[in-house]
Amino acid sequence: MADGGVAQFLSTAHGGDGLNIDQNSPLLASTRECESSSSAEDDDIKPINGIVDFAREFFIESKNLWHLAGPAIFTSFCQYGLITITQIFSGHLGTNQLAAVSVENSIISGFPYGLMFGMSSALETYCGQAFGANQYEMLGIYMQRTWVILNAMAFASVPLFIFAAPVLKFLGQTALVSREAGRFALWMIPEHFAYAITFPSTKFLQAQSKVIVLAVIAAAALCLHAVLSWLLITILGWGLVGAAVALDASWWFIAVAQFLFIITGSCGEAWSGFSWKAFQDLWRFVKMSVASAMMMCMELWYVFALTLFAGYLEDAEISIDAFSICINVLGWACMVANGLNVATSVRVSNELGCGHPRKSRFAVLVSGVSSLLLGLLSTLILIISRKQYPAIFSNSSEVQKLVEQLTPLLGISIIFTNVQYTLQGVAIGAGWQVPVAYMSIGCYFLFGVPLGVLMAYKFEMKLEGLWCGMVLGLCLQTSLLMWMICIANWNKECFKAEERLKQWS
């Protein structure tokens, strides 16, 4: 990159139209508090004059990014491993039991899980910016508000679990699988109340960069879950009830461990006890949470919709098997992308809250380049092993061949997913959830799904057509997010962060 290009990128967005923030504002007051404990040159990114300076600052920001992303990725893998262990043990009980667990997890539990996880992401904006602005006392208030909202959501989802069997039967599942999944769903109700505690606590700790403790708790929960599953399912013979109890206990272990870490004084001023302020002005907080949920859930529902259409193709069983294998591979790649998403949102929200527009912009650049390189590396590995890895998932030569044909499209999906997750982290850190939610609806359901169906059926491209639709939807979403970031005025984003903090505090 030319020296002038670097300087231009790192200068305040839109050159001379920068916003003059009130020198007596709370944002700058809190920033001066930061400066009292560090040199003035640490206020924002140092001037970059040449490739050497750029490489130095890129390395420093990369260290900050991966300090957050590494433990976040490990935590995601451990939590993803909980249901994987449950499915492994359930598979030894029988095919119907395995199908019941898979169906309950993807349909009954999957819908409220996605909403609750998405709603909690609003905390990444509020807690991250409050922490950057040194308004530590507000972090605990924001977390408690989200506890209230998510517990209400958990109560609202209880009827779905109670009537899971008839719902699944209505959706076309067999009577036996519906009955087993319905029974399993009743025992999974406690897990969702654990989510209501865990998700806000996780975002609260991530905003303060306390990611190591999250990784340790997740690893301990994974070990506990493996032991409990073996004891309850294999030794005591409790069957699916044992699988559900083990899963409930593991998630409640995470919830209680995080809660105890928070209230025992490990978070300093960020936790000052329970407060009635958590119940104030909940409606505005709910609106932001719902927008966050819509933004985060669109991609999950996008994949679910395309999976349904894959079931209507000729050779539906082969198509669904191949599609599921590719989605499984993409899911593991998303665990890495999710870690980058978390790290990016924390870095951007912290720097905006502290009034560092150029540092926020540079964090976007570093995270974007990192996610692109990681996606390219993953795709290269996948392309090289395209003749080998399908055999891990299926013994059918037809399924293996179809997965091999889809591998180039899968690789492109991984690249776009990596970059898109990172850009979503930028959107969350800056508080852009509402426009991005509308953007996601348009890109996925007004563009991607219709185009995929058209190519699959009208142009007879079958499964490749459906996947092309998914890739094009991802491409459009990623392009629009990049456009939003490129035209953003980061001085104004700092001012918006200040206004947001004043409004909520």
Side-chain angles (χ1 to χ4, degrees), residues 315-357:
D315 299 324
E317 184 177 345
I318 295 173
S319 297
I320 291 176
D321 284 351
F323 195 84
S324 299
I325 290 170
C326 292
I327 291 297
N328 189 283
V329 174
L330 185 61
W332 282 104
C334 285
M335 294 300 102
V336 178
N338 184 62
L340 287 169
N341 173 285
V342 169
T344 303
S345 67
V346 171
R347 291 292 302 131
V348 171
S349 61
N350 284 176
E351 297 300 343
L352 287 177
C354 212
H356 296 164

Side-chain angles (χ1 to χ4, degrees), residues 36-65:
S36 66
S37 60
S38 61
S39 62
E41 65 181 4
D42 291 331
D43 172 57
D44 210 340
I45 196 168
K46 297 176 182 179
I48 291 180
N49 298 309
I51 298 298
V52 175
D53 285 353
F54 178 80
R56 181 198 67 225
E57 293 298 334
F58 192 95
F59 176 73
I60 293 171
E61 180 58 35
S62 294
K63 284 176 61 179
N64 293 333
L65 180 73

Side-chain angles (χ1 to χ4, degrees), residues 488-500:
N489 185 319
W490 292 94
N491 274 347
K492 289 184 178 180
E493 294 304 324
C494 285
F495 178 75
K496 289 177 183 178
E498 176 194 5
E499 292 299 310
R500 188 179 292 114

Side-chain angles (χ1 to χ4, degrees), residues 8 67 70 82 109 168 191 227 244 297 302 307 473:
Q8 183 180 3
H67 171 76
L82 296 179
S109 290
L168 291 172
E191 180 189 51
V227 172
C297 289
Y302 183 41
T307 304

Side-chain angles (χ1 to χ4, degrees), residues 90-104:
S90 300
H92 290 287
L93 295 174
T95 55
N96 287 323
Q97 286 81 357
L98 176 59
V101 171
S102 300
V103 167
E104 192 279 337

Side-chain angles (χ1 to χ4, degrees), residues 269-336:
E269 297 177 34
W271 175 259
S272 55
F274 293 99
S275 172
W276 287 107
K277 291 181 181 178
F279 296 93
Q280 295 176 3
D281 219 358
L282 275 177
W283 178 241
R284 280 193 297 176
F285 215 82
V286 167
K287 289 193 291 185
M288 184 65 163
S289 298
V290 170
S292 298
M294 295 302 293
M295 187 187 79
M296 299 294 288
C297 289
M298 282 300 107
E299 189 170 349
L300 294 175
W301 295 342
Y302 183 41
V303 172
F304 178 68
L306 292 174
T307 304
L308 286 178
F309 283 112
Y312 301 133
L313 293 170
E314 294 180 8
D315 299 324
E317 184 177 345
I318 295 173
S319 297
I320 291 176
D321 284 351
F323 195 84
S324 299
I325 290 170
C326 292
I327 291 297
N328 189 283
V329 174
L330 185 61
W332 282 104
C334 285
M335 294 300 102
V336 178

Side-chain angles (χ1 to χ4, degrees), residues 246-273:
L247 209 50
D248 290 338
S250 299
W251 274 104
W252 271 104
F253 171 82
I254 295 174
V256 172
Q258 290 183 3
F259 178 73
L260 291 176
F261 179 83
I262 290 169
I263 67 172
T264 50
S266 302
C267 297
E269 297 177 34
W271 175 259
S272 55

